Amino acid sequence: MSSESTNAIGANPRGRVGSGLIFLALVVVAAFTLLPIAMSLLNSLKTDGEILNNILSIPAHFEFSNYINTFRKIKFMRSLWNTVVVATVGLTGIILFGSMAGYKLSRTRGKLSEFLFGLFVMSMLIPFHSIMITLTKIARDLNIQGHIIGLGLIYIGLGVPMAIFLYHGFVKSIPRELEEAAVIDGCGEFKLFFTIIFPLLLPVTATIAILNTLWMWNDFLLPLLMLTDSDQYTLLLSTNMLFGEYGNNDWSAILAALVMAMLPAMALYLLLQKYITKGIAEGAIKG
Amino acid sequence: MLAFVFPALLFYSVFMLAPAIGGIWYSLTDWNGLNPSYKLVGFANYIEALTDDPIYLKSVFFTLKYVMFMVVLQNAFALLLAVLVESRRRSKVWFRTIFMMPNMMSMIIGGFMWMFIFTKVLPYIANHTILHFLDRSWIGDPGYSFYAILIVALWGGVGYLMIIYIAALQGVPQNLKEAAAIDGANKIQTFWRVTLPMILPAVTIGIFVTLNSSFKVFDVVYALTGGGPGRATQVIALNILEEAFYRNNRYGYASAKAMILFVIVCLITLVQLRLMKIREVEV
């Protein structure tokens, strides 16, 4: 390397060229990243003939009829509602039961407490595909196959171990004196937890809420196995339905569906980006 | 204590523990999912899967190949992007937002979008420009469909790891880098000798996350190729699904295949944890 280079980065021409190249490389990768999204957006506003002839151009006029047709075809409002219900049921259970168990296991000493915590944590090793066959049978036996609420309940069982793990770690950072003071004041166990402890868990609750919402919202295989009736379908299942068995895809309809299915998650991402990024980094490092 | 733990334990036992234990049990039987009666067959299902099922073994090796490519490429790209993005000042946030975007949507959606690119957009570009080499049967030709899957999986997964690496890079104390610069190290030397050793724990996490997720790969392949052409791109998860629900309803046999996947994932995790411990002691 040249001996002239000073420690002021970018002050010499060579540093500036390097910086320019890095910027260019990042722009290329960004274009690659956005390509499928942009292409879907553009072509979802074209007629089938225009897709065939001018796939790369800006649409001549905005063909919103694709959206109107697809909106009905995939029962958009119904599917969106189903997805919201599933995620809400799942998330409520995961946070409520996860925080209670994580808190208590963290505060209790002894063999039983350690065993239970180990049991929950161990299951984070189990791949979903290893349990999906028997899970399907159990859901059928319990008569919850084909119900969106039932699907939400299953998500509670699958999601609660990681929540317990994260809560368990976080509770250790909360001083015990708070609880001792509350107990002296004659506060019951549940009241103590919900009025004093639970609000203090907010940072980790946010992380858990973000990670689990993303997971349930974007999960495809479990709903595919559990939901049988198109009235129960989530957004992803309804979109998947548009693909015929043997090619011949109606792309203008499909692309409109893809854009609509993508929209809620994207809007949420752009709105809550700071928290989502933070939640993901924390979840990965602690999980 | 139990009053607090019971609800979580109940849901966990019914939907996680019971299926796991049930899976082990059924993997030792010839259960077909519908018939209430079945009999124990011992390890026959495992022996059949490992010695007499070329389709399954092919899916295992295909998955292994995919995992190896993903572990190397996904982590390399993510780390590279993290370093480059962190070197920007004003545009940093923009690039991070964009690179993270695909991770926010289901790979089912992403896979379908890419299917449009591979089957419609690329052939169009090839026909109308000089980029004729783009006119390939990206989805239909087994020689290319592996790379198509890889491209889409990387597109969807790199941003997530990049966030982890950025967090790690931000944790490297600035004065260490400055000290290296004063000692005459250039930027590349500083990266290899100072930054990389400091972020090794994050690299371990990155490799672990990739291993774990790519063994279980399903959505990308389902959306893009459906395992085809034929079964050329069938991954383990698809093979299990097909065996249990779409072909012969051999639930018992499919459970054995699922348990083999479980053992593989477990072994990798144990090795990973061991490595992590050793490294932590060294540091």
Side-chain angles (χ1 to χ4, degrees):
Chain A
M1 281 287 141
S2 99
S3 55
E4 290 168 356
S5 63
T6 51
N7 49 5
I9 302 149
N12 55 43
R14 210 169 154 172
R16 226 175 295 151
V17 172
S19 169
L21 283 177
I22 289 175
F23 186 73
L24 198 68
L26 286 172
V27 168
V28 171
V29 181
F32 170 81
T33 306
L34 292 177
L35 174 80
I37 302 171
M39 274 294 147
S40 307
L41 209 60
L42 276 183
N43 286 291
S44 67
L45 292 164
K46 295 179 192 171
T47 60
D48 277 321
E50 212 184 341
I51 292 180
L52 205 65
N53 295 320
N54 290 311
I55 210 163
L56 297 175
S57 62
I58 310 266
H61 72 282
F62 291 148
E63 187 68 42
F64 283 110
S65 65
N66 293 335
Y67 281 88
I68 296 164
N69 293 336
T70 305
F71 193 86
R72 245 176 299 147
K73 221 170 173 179
I74 64 170
K75 300 179 188 160
F76 182 77
M77 290 318 279
R78 178 95 232 173
S79 310
L80 183 66
W81 172 249
N82 290 338
T83 317
V84 169
V85 169
V86 170
T88 309
V89 171
L91 195 60
T92 309
I94 289 171
I95 286 180
L96 188 65
F97 302 152
S99 62
M100 284 163 60
Y103 160 73
K104 215 49 179 180
L105 289 175
S106 181
R107 282 289 192 249
T108 316
R109 269 167 223 217
K111 286 254 155 58
L112 181 63
S113 166
E114 268 171 37
F115 168 76
L116 287 173
F117 182 62
L119 192 69
F120 283 118
V121 171
M122 183 202 70
S123 73
M124 283 159 51
L125 284 179
I126 304 175
F128 174 72
H129 307 116
S130 298
I131 62 165
M132 67 180 175
I133 299 167
T134 324
L135 183 60
T136 313
K137 177 190 156 47
I138 290 175
R140 213 187 300 140
D141 291 348
L142 291 176
N143 218 358
I144 55 172
Q145 196 180 32
H147 293 279
I148 46 171
I149 305 277
L151 180 57
L153 296 179
I154 296 176
Y155 277 122
I156 298 179
L158 300 184
V160 94
M162 194 196 54
I164 290 179
F165 180 70
L166 291 176
Y167 277 122
H168 189 272
F170 190 85
V171 167
K172 284 182 194 154
S173 68
I174 299 174
R176 277 169 185 269
E177 285 76 20
L178 274 174
E179 286 146 81
E180 282 156 11
V183 171
I184 292 166
D185 289 345
C187 191
E189 253 192 316
F190 281 96
K191 200 178 160 208
L192 164 92
F193 175 73
F194 286 108
T195 54
I196 297 174
I197 305 295
F198 190 74
L200 293 173
L201 300 175
L202 187 66
V204 73
T205 301
T207 302
I208 291 168
I210 286 164
L211 292 176
N212 284 294
T213 308
L214 278 173
W215 162 54
M216 289 183 283
W217 193 273
N218 290 331
D219 190 34
F220 175 72
L221 186 49
L222 184 61
L224 183 71
L225 295 174
M226 289 302 153
L227 303 178
T228 40
D229 179 9
S230 71
D231 273 337
Q232 308 268 343
Y233 277 4
T234 57
L235 273 176
L236 288 178
L237 286 180
S238 301
T239 309
N240 178 51
M241 209 174 56
L242 289 177
F243 281 84
E245 284 274 308
Y246 307 99
N248 286 336
N249 294 317
D250 179 7
W251 276 110
S252 58
I254 290 170
L255 292 175
L258 292 180
V259 172
M260 281 193 279
M262 168 187 82
L263 229 47
M266 280 299 130
L268 216 61
Y269 170 55
L270 295 176
L271 221 64
L272 302 174
Q273 196 200 5
K274 206 175 87 192
Y275 305 98
I276 292 178
T277 317
K278 194 170 144 273
I280 282 175
E282 276 174 8
I285 286 158
K286 286 176 192 144
Chain B
M1 177 177 85
L2 284 176
F4 276 84
V5 183
F6 179 74
L9 195 61
L10 176 72
F11 279 90
Y12 167 75
S13 303
V14 174
F15 297 125
M16 191 99 192
L17 211 53
I21 295 168
I24 298 174
W25 167 253
Y26 287 125
S27 75
L28 303 169
T29 71
D30 64 355
W31 181 45
N32 69 5
L34 305 166
N35 204 331
S37 73
Y38 52 84
K39 59 179 191 298
L40 273 171
V41 294
F43 286 97
N45 287 328
Y46 289 89
I47 294 165
E48 183 183 343
L50 292 172
T51 60
D52 199 23
D53 191 340
I55 298 172
Y56 177 64
L57 289 179
K58 220 181 136 234
S59 78
V60 172
F61 285 116
F62 183 82
T63 310
L64 277 174
K65 182 175 152 195
Y66 170 83
V67 169
M68 283 193 311
F69 273 85
M70 282 300 279
V71 166
V72 175
L73 293 178
Q74 181 150 272
N75 285 286
F77 282 136
L79 186 53
L80 182 67
L81 279 185
V83 171
L84 295 187
V85 168
E86 270 301 289
S87 77
R88 312 308 307 176
R89 267 177 236 130
R90 263 168 303 162
S91 52
K92 187 195 284 193
V93 182
W94 284 96
F95 284 124
R96 207 175 52 196
T97 307
I98 292 172
F99 296 153
M100 189 59 195
M101 222 175 244
N103 197 260
M104 290 298 122
M105 60 173 102
S106 163
M107 285 309 277
I108 289 289
I109 305 266
F112 286 150
M113 284 180 170
W114 274 100
M115 191 167 152
F116 180 67
I117 301 284
F118 283 127
T119 59
K120 297 285 158 187
V121 178
L122 291 186
Y124 180 90
I125 295 175
N127 285 335
H128 290 80
T129 65
I130 51 161
L131 303 168
H132 301 304
F133 69 95
L134 288 175
D135 192 12
R136 302 278 145 108
S137 183
W138 292 100
I139 308 292
D141 183 335
Y144 295 114
S145 47
F146 174 70
Y147 296 101
I149 291 171
L150 212 56
I151 288 170
V152 180
L154 288 170
W155 172 82
V158 162
Y160 176 76
L161 287 184
M162 182 195 70
I163 295 292
I164 298 175
Y165 285 130
I166 285 180
L169 287 173
Q170 286 170 346
V172 178
Q174 199 60 37
N175 56 12
L176 276 184
K177 286 191 240 172
E178 279 161 14
I182 290 168
D183 287 346
N186 62 38
K187 278 187 161 178
I188 293 167
Q189 284 169 328
T190 310
F191 176 78
W192 286 108
R193 302 280 174 79
V194 178
T195 311
L196 194 61
M198 289 295 290
I199 60 165
L200 266 187
V203 177
T204 317
I205 292 170
I207 293 174
F208 175 57
V209 167
T210 318
L211 274 173
N212 225 320
S213 64
S214 36
F215 259 109
K216 298 187 267 187
V217 58
F218 174 79
D219 290 2
V220 191
V221 182
Y222 179 92
L224 208 57
T225 67
R231 290 197 184 86
T233 57
Q234 193 176 62
V235 289
I236 301 177
L238 262 172
N239 183 276
I240 295 171
L241 203 68
E242 189 189 74
E243 187 72 61
F245 300 112
Y246 298 127
R247 209 168 25 158
N248 305 322
N249 282 349
R250 290 181 65 191
Y251 278 42
Y253 182 45
S255 295
K257 291 176 170 186
M259 286 307 137
I260 294 171
L261 173 68
F262 175 47
V263 171
I264 295 175
V265 172
C266 259
L267 282 179
I268 287 173
T269 312
L270 290 178
V271 170
Q272 189 76 30
L273 287 176
R274 182 58 58 83
L275 283 179
M276 234 148 133
K277 275 234 170 80
I278 292 170
R279 202 173 283 150
E280 268 165 19
V281 171
E282 276 174 358
V283 168

